[in-house]
Amino acid sequence: MDYLLTEEQKMIRELCRQIGEEKIKPVRSHYDDTQEFPWEIVKVFAESDLMGIFIPQAYGGLGYGILELSIAIEELSRYCGGITLALAGTALGTFPIFLFGNEEQKKEYLPLIARGQALAAFALTEANAGSDAAGIETTAVKDGDHYVLNGTKQWITNAGEAEIYTVIALTNRIRGPRGASAFVVKKGTSGFTFGKKENKMGIRASATRELIFQDCRVPKEDMLGREGLGFMVAMKTFDASRPGVAAQALGIAQGALDEALKYGRTRVQFGKPIASFQAVQHMLADMATQIEAARALIYATSRMYDDGGRDIGKESAMCKLFASDVAMRVTTDVVQLFGGYGYMKEYPVEKMMRDAKITQIYEGTNQIQRNVIALDLIKEAASKKD
Ligand SMILES: Cc1cc2nc3c(=O)[nH]c(=O)nc-3n(C[C@H](O)[C@H](O)[C@H](O)COP(=O)(O)OP(=O)(O)OC[C@H]3O[C@@H](n4cnc5c(N)ncnc54)[C@H](O)[C@@H]3O)c2cc1C
């Protein structure tokens, strides 16, 4: 399908395809096996200016938008959804600064991220607060010119590897949704340490750890926005980042379909390539149709955002919901299409199936996305006159 991409957007896609083919494909199973952090590939992203793709040029980035970020994440995830998360997780950790930072904060942090000198991470989730983000218990208590953070964030992407963390903590327990605030916390700050690296089903090249705050003093200048805006920062961040999760899912699904098309033409049973069987052809057709529909939704939503339509909570949730369900269905079907070989680690498709699963879970599970979409629909309907 022709999405009327600009020459620059096509160049970004081509660049990412080349990085994927030449740099990521040869090493993806190594990082999947070892769970090492893929610094050699992060260096390639940085040298190609991809880390600052959506950061304004004034802060050292390329100055593109969510569509270009989505295209890059999609294309790279076609080769490895886990390695790509170093970039996508950094984007997630950068959005709060990009959207809510003041000039000093932007000048301090965005150029470091754009140049690839620092990765970023975003920390909301805790052991007792996943879908119910309002249940967070990490506190930030004002003490003179500082806030003192205490608590533990769980399952934070890029944790331990990133230099810059945007953290949501309670500044006023009794104010409910208005009681949280967002802070930038630098790695190395006294009282800020990491838990062990999690051993995961998929996206194993991505580092996931706890952030542990014990009397961690953060200068008051490192608060994003003002006191009480924490959940607003989180929600607006997710509006901007969910098309990226969707793009990760889309890339994984496309990568799996690419493999299915290769395999289907070469695997011979009953004297014929399996792609000549109508049942297999229908699987391929269904996969390709779902993938194209996901791509259309993601590109349209990203364009809406870049055109200034910042109220895209519903569309952003739709992208994430639809593309991640597509990724799970497609990768499961591709393993099926490979038969027993699909179950073996010699082929990349079992990894793709494992990698796809997380896209239905993080940045809000797909049940939560449905809640977001439905609430918005009902609100829209109620505001219309009959
Ligand atoms: C690999 C990985 C990386 C992550 N990276 C980050 C990160 O960088 N930063 C960060 O802050 N967090 C991160 N997370 C956390 C992630 O966002 C949460 O796991 C997710 O939001 C779900 O929370 P939970 O796991 O506590 O599940 P729960 O909230 O305990 O949900 C359990 C089940 O109940 C369902 N459920 C809960 N509430 C409802 C409801 N109201 N209606 C219907 N169903 C419901 C859920 O859909 C789910 O199926 C990461 C998680 C993983 C696994």
Side-chain angles (χ1 to χ4, degrees):
M1 195 169 287
D2 186 356
Y3 291 101
L4 305 176
L5 298 182
T6 62
E7 283 311 309
E8 284 170 321
Q9 288 161 352
K10 287 181 193 162
M11 271 168 56
I12 291 168
R13 192 171 59 185
E14 199 40 53
L15 169 70
C16 292
R17 189 166 299 175
Q18 202 182 340
I19 293 173
E21 199 62 46
E22 293 173 10
K23 307 285 182 192
I24 298 180
K25 201 170 169 181
V27 297
R28 63 184 171 194
S29 73
H30 166 78
Y31 288 104
D32 182 50
D33 285 345
T34 61
Q35 285 212 114
E36 283 167 22
F37 194 74
W39 278 112
E40 58 168 322
I41 308 294
V42 173
K43 200 163 157 252
V44 175
F45 293 165
E47 285 164 359
S48 313
D49 292 331
L50 290 173
M51 299 309 293
I53 192 163
F54 71 95
I55 294 176
Q57 289 177 349
Y59 305 106
L62 291 180
Y64 292 119
I66 299 296
L67 179 57
E68 288 80 3
L69 176 65
S70 297
I71 291 170
I73 293 174
E74 172 193 346
E75 215 52 45
L76 296 167
S77 297
R78 208 164 158 175
Y79 299 90
C80 181
I83 291 176
T84 306
L85 201 49
L87 167 63
T90 291
L92 173 68
T94 307
F95 280 125
I97 304 172
F98 172 70
L99 294 172
F100 289 89
N102 57 34
E103 197 50 31
E104 280 90 72
Q105 291 165 333
K106 288 183 182 174
K107 276 193 189 143
E108 181 173 359
Y109 298 114
L110 296 183
L112 286 174
I113 297 166
R115 287 195 296 264
Q117 290 167 332
L119 298 184
F122 175 75
L124 174 63
T125 305
E126 299 178 5
N128 296 321
S131 303
D132 184 11
I136 60 168
E137 291 161 8
T138 296
T139 52
V141 176
K142 187 111 189 270
D143 180 25
D145 288 344
H146 287 77
Y147 283 87
V148 183
L149 268 65
N150 277 291
T152 301
K153 294 291 174 183
Q154 175 170 276
W155 300 336
I156 306 307
T157 299
N158 282 344
E161 314 295 338
E163 297 293 325
I164 297 166
Y165 296 80
T166 47
V167 179
I168 310 296
L170 293 178
T171 37
N172 188 335
R173 275 176 188 278
I174 51 174
R175 290 200 73 204
R178 296 217 178 87
S181 304
F183 298 89
V184 182
V185 186
K186 284 165 262 188
K187 186 178 181 177
T189 305
S190 171
F192 174 27
T193 54
F194 303 100
K196 70 166 175 36
K197 193 171 184 172
E198 301 292 347
N199 187 5
K200 305 192 296 289
M201 170 200 279
I203 55 160
R204 288 166 58 80
S206 172
T208 314
R209 292 185 173 93
E210 283 176 341
L211 310 186
I212 302 163
F213 299 102
Q214 287 167 315
D215 293 329
C216 173
R217 294 177 72 80
V218 176
K220 69 178 182 0
E221 291 73 30
D222 287 338
M223 177 182 280
L224 291 168
R226 53 186 162 72
E227 255 194 40
L229 280 191
F231 287 122
M232 162 88 89
V233 171
M235 295 312 130
K236 293 289 170 195
T237 292
F238 287 144
D239 287 354
S241 67
R242 280 178 183 151
V245 181
Q248 180 193 27
L250 169 63
I252 294 170
Q254 181 66 59
L257 177 60
D258 295 342
E259 295 296 331
L261 285 165
K262 258 190 285 172
Y263 190 77
R265 286 181 292 123
T266 50
R267 172 69 174 167
V268 173
Q269 290 292 280
F270 301 97
K272 292 178 187 167
I274 59 167
S276 68
F277 301 131
Q278 196 178 45
V280 171
Q281 290 176 355
H282 285 188
M283 281 172 85
L284 294 169
D286 284 346
M287 288 191 254
T289 307
Q290 293 175 70
I291 287 171
E292 211 55 71
R295 184 172 289 121
L297 188 54
I298 294 167
Y299 287 13
T301 301
S302 301
R303 280 197 169 114
M304 250 175 94
Y305 193 91
D306 293 338
D307 287 348
R310 293 290 157 106
D311 192 13
I312 63 153
K314 180 183 68 186
E315 290 77 7
S316 197
M318 284 175 168
C319 286
K320 200 298 227 179
L321 166 66
F322 188 75
S324 61
D325 282 355
V326 164
M328 205 57 228
R329 269 197 306 272
V330 166
T331 53
T332 308
D333 281 352
V334 170
V335 169
Q336 186 69 19
L337 195 146
F338 270 65
Y341 291 103
Y343 206 71
M344 301 297 152
K345 284 189 179 280
E346 279 75 14
Y347 288 87
V349 294
E350 61 80 33
K351 171 185 177 300
M352 290 168 173
M353 185 174 141
R354 288 187 282 109
D355 287 351
K357 184 60 203 172
I358 191 60
T359 63
Q360 293 180 312
I361 296 174
Y362 60 15
E363 293 199 27
T365 65
N366 280 4
Q367 287 74 24
I368 296 302
Q369 306 307 316
R370 288 181 174 92
N371 291 353
V372 170
I373 296 163
L375 284 178
D376 205 274
L377 287 174
I378 294 163
K379 206 169 84 186
E380 268 176 33
S383 70
K384 279 184 199 142
K385 292 199 179 96
D386 290 329

